[in-house]
Amino acid sequence: MTERSQTLADMHSHILPGIDDGSPNIGTSVKMLGAEKRSGVGRIVLTPHFALSSNTVGTFLTKREQAYEQLAPEAEKLGIELSMGAEVLYTRSLADIDLTRLCIGNTRYMMIELPYERLTGRFVSEFRSFEGSIFPDIRLILAHAERYLAFTSEESLLGLISPDMVIQVSCGSFRTFGKRKAFIYKLIRNDMLHLLGTDCHNMTDRAPNMDTARKAICRKFTPQVFYGLMNNAHMVLDGGQI
Ligand SMILES: [Fe+2]
């Protein structure tokens, strides 16, 4: 196994201080970085929430840059590589703006979050048409895919997932019982899961937890499955195609 493939990558985090409902200050962010490091995470994508209804892209990017300037020296001390991204709340109007500025680093991968409501047939066809209009310039990463099962059926959710979509799930969901975890295991068995993210927000109830996913996947499947997901993350971050 190469050094690169042993470096773990967290593709979804709210570690940037003071920008959203994640880390409230740099002190908490430093503790979160320390927890990531102890789990073996060496690459982190910073994905603060972005909603077009309450922010312009310009204002968001300025705030994100200011928060990043505080965090970057701390990550460097720990040897952690940061990439900038966003967790973009889906709305139809996204089709009217330049989405490349919300993608991860210099890639064309953008993380998208669905509204928390039942996925109607109408919504699914609108979303698929949105995805088609931005593809292949932009590839969508569906954030914490399993979470929507609280609002909608598995059938509707699978109907929304296109073959071009990149699927991310949350490490914490491996600790749950019931349909979320069963859905994740189904995604893995069907080669439909691509990325893991901690979606960490703090050091209490939503702390960095890459170990949770690593242990569960290695126990239920094999270490190769887990490191395959890490390899996907490196591919995304290095500008490759998955
Ligand atoms: Fe998130």
Side-chain angles (χ1 to χ4, degrees):
M1 199 176 284
T2 64
E3 198 180 317
R4 173 54 101 201
S5 64
Q6 280 183 311
T7 301
L8 309 189
D10 181 359
M11 298 300 285
H12 185 158
S13 75
H14 298 268
I15 299 178
L16 277 178
I19 184 167
D20 60 4
D21 60 341
S23 170
N25 51 52
I26 188 65
T28 302
S29 300
V30 169
K31 287 180 186 157
M32 292 169 82
L33 287 176
E36 293 271 34
K37 180 82 182 174
R38 287 192 293 281
S39 295
V41 173
R43 298 181 102 179
I44 300 175
V45 183
L46 306 163
T47 52
H49 292 286
F50 171 78
L52 197 52
S53 58
S54 55
N55 229 336
T56 65
V57 176
T59 309
F60 170 76
L61 294 182
T62 303
K63 277 198 229 158
R64 192 182 67 173
E65 185 60 37
Q66 287 165 351
Y68 177 78
E69 280 168 18
Q70 292 183 66
L71 190 66
E74 303 297 337
E76 200 178 336
K77 282 182 211 164
L78 294 171
I80 292 177
E81 183 188 320
L82 300 178
S83 297
M84 299 260 245
E87 182 176 8
V88 180
L89 182 63
Y90 172 73
T91 170
R92 223 165 157 163
S93 328
L94 286 173
D96 304 328
I97 64 167
D98 176 11
L99 295 177
T100 57
R101 298 200 294 162
L102 295 170
C103 288
I104 296 172
N106 294 320
T107 76
R108 288 293 179 265
Y109 290 92
M110 186 184 86
M111 180 169 283
I112 198 147
E113 179 179 37
L114 301 179
Y116 292 103
E117 56 195 37
R118 193 173 67 83
L119 300 179
T120 62
R122 192 175 174 166
F123 177 89
V124 169
S125 55
E126 178 198 297
F127 186 86
R128 294 289 292 268
S129 138
F130 162 74
E131 189 192 17
S133 71
I134 58 170
F135 182 83
D137 295 333
I138 309 276
R139 290 275 305 277
L140 294 180
I141 299 174
L142 182 62
H144 40 60
E146 79 287 5
R147 194 193 289 182
Y148 309 106
L149 292 177
F151 309 90
T152 204
S153 69
E154 186 176 307
E155 191 186 1
S156 303
L157 186 54
L158 288 171
L160 178 120
I161 295 173
S162 75
D164 301 314
M165 198 179 282
V166 178
I167 306 300
Q168 177 257 315
V169 299
S170 297
C171 298
S173 293
F174 286 90
R175 202 170 31 212
T176 60
F177 296 94
K179 60 184 176 184
R180 284 192 191 190
K181 191 160 76 174
F183 180 67
I184 293 175
Y185 285 170
K186 186 187 275 189
L187 290 176
I188 293 176
R189 283 192 202 96
N190 289 288
D191 270 337
M192 287 174 70
L193 179 62
H194 305 103
L195 300 172
L196 293 173
T198 65
D199 198 7
C200 57
H201 279 63
N202 50 45
M203 279 302 289
T204 52
D205 58 326
R206 298 182 77 179
N209 54 2
M210 184 59 75
D211 275 345
T212 303
R214 184 178 56 77
K215 287 177 187 161
I217 294 173
C218 292
R219 195 166 48 230
K220 180 81 180 173
F221 298 94
T222 60
Q224 285 76 12
V225 172
F226 175 76
Y227 287 103
L229 296 172
M230 291 300 123
N231 193 44
N232 287 340
H234 295 307
M235 294 270 280
V236 167
L237 295 174
D238 295 338
Q241 292 286 333
I242 58 170

